[in-house]
Amino acid sequence: MPTIKDVAREAGVTHAVVSRILNEDPTLTVRPETRERVLSAAARLQYIPNHAARALRHAKAGAVGLAVHDISNPVYSEIIAGAQTAVASHESVLMLADVDELHRDASAFSRMITSKAIDGLVFLPAGTRADEAVLRAASSALPTVVVNDRAPGVHSVSLDDAAAARMATEHLISLGHRDIGVLTLDGDTHRRIDRLAGHEAALRDAGLRSEANWIENGGHTLESGRSGLHRMASRGPLPTAVAVHNATAALGAMRAAAELGLAVPRELSIIGFHDMSFTGFVTPALTVVRLALTELGVRAVDVVFQLIGGEQVEETSTVVDPAPELVIRESTAPVSER
Amino acid sequence: MPTIKDVAREAGVTHAVVSRILNEDPTLTVRPETRERVLSAAARLQYIPNHAARALRHAKAGAVGLAVHDISNPVYSEIIAGAQTAVASHESVLMLADVDELHRDASAFSRMITSKAIDGLVFLPAGTRADEAVLRAASSALPTVVVNDRAPGVHSVSLDDAAAARMATEHLISLGHRDIGVLTLDGDTHRRIDRLAGHEAALRDAGLRSEANWIENGGHTLESGRSGLHRMASRGPLPTAVAVHNATAALGAMRAAAELGLAVPRELSIIGFHDMSFTGFVTPALTVVRLALTELGVRAVDVVFQLIGGEQVEETSTVVDPAPELVIRESTAPVSER
DNA sequence: CTGTTAGCGCCTTCAA
DNA sequence: TTGAAGGCGCTAACAG
């Protein structure tokens, strides 16, 4: 690996000149001829500046962290993909961290957060204890932004959860359903509250009552969605339609419906949240509200970089473009007589 | 952020002493009293060594890269999760990169690979052009290991693809199927070749003929699995059972079966590859061969660190523990008369 | 127009 | 038992 000095020697100048030419220092005036020599020497030696040295000098890591619980969650992977491209456009790299590990292992935490290994942190909370602790510690040490939720005193970018949830429930209402249940998120998150509020607002606007028996936690996993519907069923007659505030949980709910001997959508309409890759491929294909997950990742990273750059940023922002969109497939149908 | 000098001043010693105490230099002898003063000063100031400075000094980044195509692919996310934990146990962090971006954007490539921002690279190939180019360039610059496949001249750790594929097909045979098709991977990968070989070996051992019409590319996505089965159907009568060499593609194939009006498993048995989270939740629940994906990620990272440490490592290794395991659910059934 | 110098924070001989 | 000094590779003042 050639260093800047090798290039300097090769071009017959000092390393300082090489640095200024390569970094296009505007205050520098050089003979085109010298510049040429330096450039070609750099190219010939395939010189690439050393990341660590730069980081040390600039007091900047050139990296942004991404703290997440469960990479295999498809919702997260879409956000991550957005973050990934955004980070690249800021000439940085993405470091992945597991929130639970950060919480469990102090050395992992310091390696990542407090050692200036990253310039900022994007945090995907799930509403756990670990979340709260890690987030508090991280945000006091670094520019931090919470994605897909809000947190007091921390910058965040989220989706219009209330509007999206309202859209889901209104779709069910428009199909004639009057008995509508909800499998909402669990965990202590704002998006849970907002989605539930959107659901209830839709009900209220339609003059429908929100039945306590039909409000249940569905979480964001297959199993939590499945057990959520089972719990609801165990409490009495099911509604004719259920809004599930997560697509993965919606698939779990579909499984539960099958286990209960209920035909979807004839006997039970199910609408999900997020247009994951599998939603169009299961049978019946899942009707969902599609949200701008990739954009969410992009925006979060943008905010982190604004913060790093010392800019003033609104503490909370919402991704409204692209807007939530109803994707009607097969899992919802007009209410039928029973 | 306190530096080592701040700690030294606070403890009334030189920064060299602090460094040696904190790093537990065995050649150092200090009065317990001094050590105590240094340790408590470090704790009081919450001193954390600067990552960049360490990296510069050690000529080590303290990070390992992970190059992947599609984070949202559940197969990958399980491997990534394994890699994540393994990296942490080596006191390092994980950097995420998109292969296609590395291929497209030279600056992204150099930022990651050639600037010593990472000490080694774990590469998850998908058999594309970009793969080949990126892998060649990376492996000449860094300790690199290919996961879930092999590549000439590069270290790799993979699964026992042939055995697993054989296991899948043998399950079908044991159910009495004699007309057995396969939806194998696409892309130019060794695992495709190995899985196909395992499939054909099972057929051969059972005295069954491998029918060209029943060998089709199913890829590793929902859509590729779906269109793969449709293509097979368009060429003539379908077999009574199909081994799909990827679980996601298997779900796509199930969708295609539904579109073709075929009941699974009564009219068509389907077995998938990899026990993804959704496999037990779709209806019918998918029978699969479970492979040690997490372990694969762990092992890959271990090999990278062996390489970084200058150890001699076998060029190719296979994860055989845990062994592939047949998980029988609902999508396969004994052949029925037609 | 280009070279010299200093220092980012850390670790590691070598001296004292 | 501890201090002093040098240098990892790079950038940014300041000289010349």
Side-chain angles (χ1 to χ4, degrees):
Chain A
M1 277 292 98
T3 76
I4 197 169
K5 289 190 180 166
D6 298 322
V7 178
R9 193 173 330 109
E10 182 87 2
V13 292
T14 335
H15 64 279
V17 179
V18 176
S19 171
R20 298 177 69 188
I21 289 178
L22 260 28
N23 293 311
E24 304 183 338
D25 180 348
T27 74
L28 172 73
T29 46
V30 263
R31 261 188 291 246
E33 171 206 329
T34 322
R35 156 169 284 123
E36 203 34 64
R37 246 184 315 135
V38 169
L39 257 23
S40 79
R44 192 143 17 90
L45 299 180
Q46 306 202 56
Y47 168 70
I48 302 282
N50 179 294
H51 188 87
R54 264 183 123 101
L56 178 57
R57 185 65 239 250
H58 286 144
K60 282 229 175 315
V64 167
L66 187 71
V68 60
H69 276 274
D70 174 17
I71 314 174
S72 68
N73 184 324
V75 174
Y76 291 170
S77 41
E78 203 168 324
I79 298 176
I80 295 174
Q84 170 75 52
T85 67
V87 162
S89 77
H90 285 278
E91 313 265 78
S92 271
V93 295
L94 236 208
M95 281 196 187
L96 208 56
D98 183 89
V99 174
D100 297 297
E101 193 169 290
L102 254 26
H103 186 58
R104 197 177 340 103
D105 178 0
S107 82
F109 191 92
S110 63
R111 211 179 305 132
M112 185 87 174
I113 311 288
T114 20
S115 71
K116 292 257 166 287
I118 53 178
D119 300 317
L121 182 70
V122 172
F123 194 100
L124 307 204
T128 67
R129 289 285 165 75
D131 273 350
E132 214 180 322
V134 171
L135 182 56
R136 194 157 8 122
S139 63
S140 72
L142 275 180
T144 301
V145 6
V146 166
V147 197
N148 200 20
D149 215 85
R150 283 170 288 138
V154 183
H155 284 80
S156 64
V157 8
S158 51
L159 297 163
D160 194 347
D161 289 296
R166 170 189 279 271
M167 186 177 270
T169 301
E170 282 175 348
H171 167 64
L172 266 14
I173 294 170
S174 77
L175 289 171
H177 293 277
R178 302 187 57 78
D179 299 340
I180 299 177
V182 63
L183 249 36
T184 193
L185 297 171
D186 48 21
D188 181 20
T189 60
H190 278 271
R191 56 187 188 276
R192 169 198 157 88
I193 297 167
D194 289 354
R195 290 181 193 175
L196 206 44
H199 168 75
E200 306 217 301
L203 252 33
R204 198 178 331 107
D205 288 0
L208 264 26
R209 255 171 36 85
S210 167
E211 194 64 67
N213 269 349
W214 292 341
I215 300 180
E216 188 58 72
N217 284 346
H220 59 270
T221 68
L222 291 156
E223 182 48 40
S224 62
R226 173 175 169 277
S227 60
L229 189 66
H230 276 300
R231 274 198 306 282
M232 194 187 292
S234 72
R235 286 219 297 261
L238 282 174
T240 62
V242 179
V244 186
H245 285 169
N246 177 276
T248 308
L251 185 52
M254 283 196 17
R255 177 71 191 178
E259 288 164 354
L260 291 165
L262 253 31
V264 176
R266 199 167 46 78
E267 298 171 282
L268 180 69
S269 281
I270 293 183
I271 183 169
F273 230 73
H274 296 317
D275 193 22
M276 313 283 56
S277 56
F278 62 78
T279 47
F281 284 86
V282 294
T283 303
L286 205 52
T287 294
V288 295
V289 175
R290 171 172 24 227
L291 290 150
L293 256 17
T294 308
E295 180 62 18
L296 190 62
V298 171
R299 285 279 300 280
V301 168
D302 285 348
V303 172
V304 165
F305 277 101
Q306 290 180 279
L307 257 23
I308 292 172
E311 294 176 44
Q312 284 296 327
V313 191
E314 283 292 322
E315 184 170 303
T316 77
S317 71
T318 306
V319 174
V320 290
D321 179 34
E325 185 188 348
L326 185 63
V327 182
I328 301 176
R329 289 197 269 245
E330 304 163 355
S331 66
T332 51
V335 65
S336 54
E337 306 304 318
R338 312 203 240 190
Chain B
M1 280 292 94
T3 76
I4 196 170
K5 289 189 181 169
D6 297 322
V7 178
R9 195 173 329 112
E10 184 86 2
V13 293
T14 334
H15 62 275
V17 180
V18 177
S19 171
R20 298 178 68 188
I21 291 180
L22 262 26
N23 293 312
E24 304 182 337
D25 179 348
T27 75
L28 172 73
T29 44
V30 259
R31 263 187 285 252
E33 170 206 329
T34 324
R35 156 170 284 122
E36 203 34 63
R37 246 184 315 132
V38 168
L39 257 24
S40 80
R44 191 144 15 91
L45 298 182
Q46 307 202 50
Y47 168 70
I48 302 282
N50 179 294
H51 188 89
R54 265 183 120 102
L56 179 57
R57 182 67 236 253
H58 287 141
K60 282 228 175 316
V64 168
L66 186 72
V68 60
H69 276 274
D70 176 16
I71 313 172
S72 67
N73 184 324
V75 175
Y76 291 169
S77 40
E78 204 169 324
I79 298 176
I80 295 174
Q84 171 76 54
T85 67
V87 162
S89 77
H90 286 278
E91 314 265 79
S92 270
V93 294
L94 237 208
M95 280 198 190
L96 206 57
D98 183 90
V99 174
D100 297 296
E101 192 169 289
L102 254 26
H103 186 59
R104 199 179 336 104
D105 179 359
S107 82
F109 192 92
S110 62
R111 213 180 303 132
M112 185 88 174
I113 311 289
T114 19
S115 71
K116 292 258 166 283
I118 53 178
D119 300 318
L121 183 70
V122 172
F123 194 100
L124 308 202
T128 67
R129 289 283 166 76
D131 273 350
E132 214 182 321
V134 170
L135 182 57
R136 193 157 7 119
S139 62
S140 72
L142 274 180
T144 301
V145 7
V146 166
V147 196
N148 200 19
D149 215 86
R150 283 170 288 138
V154 184
H155 284 80
S156 65
V157 10
S158 51
L159 298 164
D160 194 347
D161 289 296
R166 168 190 280 271
M167 185 177 272
T169 300
E170 281 174 349
H171 168 64
L172 266 13
I173 294 170
S174 77
L175 289 172
H177 293 277
R178 302 190 55 80
D179 299 340
I180 299 177
V182 64
L183 249 34
T184 192
L185 297 171
D186 49 21
D188 182 20
T189 59
H190 279 271
R191 58 186 187 276
R192 169 200 158 86
I193 296 168
D194 289 354
R195 290 180 194 175
L196 206 44
H199 168 75
E200 306 217 300
L203 252 31
R204 199 179 332 108
D205 288 0
L208 265 24
R209 256 172 35 84
S210 166
E211 193 66 65
N213 268 351
W214 292 341
I215 300 178
E216 187 59 70
N217 284 345
H220 57 270
T221 68
L222 291 156
E223 182 49 40
S224 62
R226 174 175 168 277
S227 59
L229 190 66
H230 277 301
R231 274 198 308 281
M232 194 187 292
S234 72
R235 286 217 298 259
L238 282 175
T240 62
V242 178
V244 186
H245 285 169
N246 177 277
T248 309
L251 185 52
M254 284 197 14
R255 177 71 192 178
E259 290 164 353
L260 291 165
L262 253 32
V264 175
R266 199 168 46 80
E267 296 171 285
L268 181 69
S269 281
I270 294 183
I271 184 168
F273 229 74
H274 296 316
D275 192 23
M276 313 282 56
S277 56
F278 62 79
T279 47
F281 285 86
V282 294
T283 304
L286 205 53
T287 293
V288 296
V289 175
R290 174 175 18 230
L291 290 152
L293 256 14
T294 308
E295 179 62 17
L296 191 60
V298 171
R299 285 280 300 279
V301 167
D302 285 348
V303 171
V304 165
F305 276 100
Q306 289 180 276
L307 257 21
I308 291 172
E311 296 176 44
Q312 284 296 328
V313 191
E314 284 291 322
E315 183 168 303
T316 76
S317 70
T318 305
V319 174
V320 291
D321 178 35
E325 184 188 350
L326 185 63
V327 182
I328 300 176
R329 288 199 270 247
E330 303 163 354
S331 66
T332 50
V335 64
S336 55
E337 308 302 317
R338 315 205 242 188

